Amino acid sequence: MHRDRSAHRHVRWIPMLTVALAALLASSATLRAQAKAEPGRFDFYLLDLPWGPEFCSIADVSPQCLPQRRFVVHGLWPQNNDGSYPVFCSDEPAPLHPAKNLDLTPDLKLLSHEWQKHGTCSAVGPQRFFALERQAFSSLKIPSALDHVDRELSLSPDKILDLFYKANPGFPKGSLLLSCRNDHLTAVEACFSKSLKPISCRGLHSCPASTVKLAPIAATSHP
């Protein structure tokens, strides 16, 4: 993936989360965080979708991660064409009812972190920001071939992206990326304009591995 890989999963809680997730879900792309910037000054959005088994596999993970899902939402990140991105743009309060978003991002602490670090840079307010995140996620169809991964799979990044493009013919080439670490798929990412039109990504790079492994989806249920 890229940047905020500082939080591409969630343990207890943000300080530990930041360290653990950076180590686990480091991106193949190079991003540069800016100093505190003016809200609304960015070029496009990057939707980051971690592979559920990777996202939910660490110790002390939030119980909302079970049962595991194919993909979950890490965040919708304001992004610049040069590979930089604004962070912590204001002290605007978080949404009043963040639990409404647990079906997308299965951790309340991570939701709070995402608003503070990225949502405050959107200049659309917390309710609208998370509505945009939901809209972006809903617009991207997950390939049916990834519905039931009950054993470890090895696929080329090109094959995975091809599955996504075939499932999403409205997404132009270059609008989807893969993130990986240690030859494991960590996330699929999609680039959108500020009006949430799929666009080609700029300033980012996809996973360079020849083959990546997809961890199986555990059939674990809530106690």
Side-chain angles (χ1 to χ4, degrees), residues 1-218:
M1 263 150 336
H2 327 298
R3 82 331 184 71
D4 182 338
R5 309 338 179 188
S6 53
H8 218 208
R9 305 213 292 190
H10 31 21
V11 275
R12 225 185 280 166
W13 284 115
I14 291 304
M16 187 187 304
L17 174 150
T18 302
V19 173
L21 301 188
L24 180 60
L25 298 172
S27 172
S28 59
T30 301
L31 297 180
R32 302 183 301 278
Q34 298 178 173
K36 193 169 184 177
E38 180 182 342
R41 295 194 63 180
F42 63 95
D43 295 318
F44 64 95
Y45 285 113
L46 178 70
L47 177 69
D48 186 75
L49 301 179
W51 177 239
E54 292 290 332
F55 190 83
C56 297
S57 65
I58 55 176
D60 296 322
V61 72
S62 170
Q64 281 87 8
C65 256
L66 301 174
Q68 289 179 2
R69 314 164 201 178
R70 295 172 298 169
F71 290 92
V72 297
V73 176
H74 182 170
L76 184 68
W77 299 332
Q79 186 73 40
N80 292 318
N81 291 333
D82 64 359
S84 66
Y85 57 97
V87 293
F88 299 112
C89 293
S90 78
D91 297 322
E92 186 176 3
L96 294 177
H97 305 291
K100 291 180 178 180
N101 300 296
L102 284 173
D103 60 323
L104 300 184
T105 302
D107 188 280
L108 285 173
K109 293 292 184 179
L110 182 55
L111 282 166
S112 176
H113 172 77
E114 287 300 301
W115 165 251
Q116 292 168 4
K117 186 170 184 178
H118 302 291
T120 56
C121 296
S122 67
V124 298
Q127 304 303 325
R128 177 61 177 159
F129 175 72
F130 284 105
L132 288 173
E133 184 178 85
R134 185 174 296 276
Q135 181 181 341
F137 176 74
S138 299
S139 73
L140 182 64
K141 184 177 180 180
I142 306 300
S144 60
L146 302 179
D147 276 342
H148 304 290
V149 180
D150 57 3
R151 57 184 175 82
E152 185 176 82
L153 295 182
S154 292
L155 296 171
S156 70
D158 286 345
K159 175 61 176 177
I160 297 172
L161 288 175
D162 185 57
L163 290 171
F164 270 88
Y165 282 122
K166 286 181 177 177
N168 298 275
F171 280 67
K173 292 295 183 181
S175 61
L176 300 172
L177 306 171
L178 290 190
S179 291
C180 61
R181 179 173 174 79
N182 296 331
D183 294 330
H184 278 76
L185 174 71
T186 52
V188 169
E189 296 168 324
C191 294
F192 294 88
S193 69
K194 289 184 176 181
S195 61
L196 292 193
K197 177 183 177 180
I199 60 172
S200 294
C201 302
R202 297 186 63 180
L204 306 174
H205 304 283
S206 199
C207 169
S210 58
T211 303
V212 293
K213 297 176 181 179
L214 282 72
I217 300 173

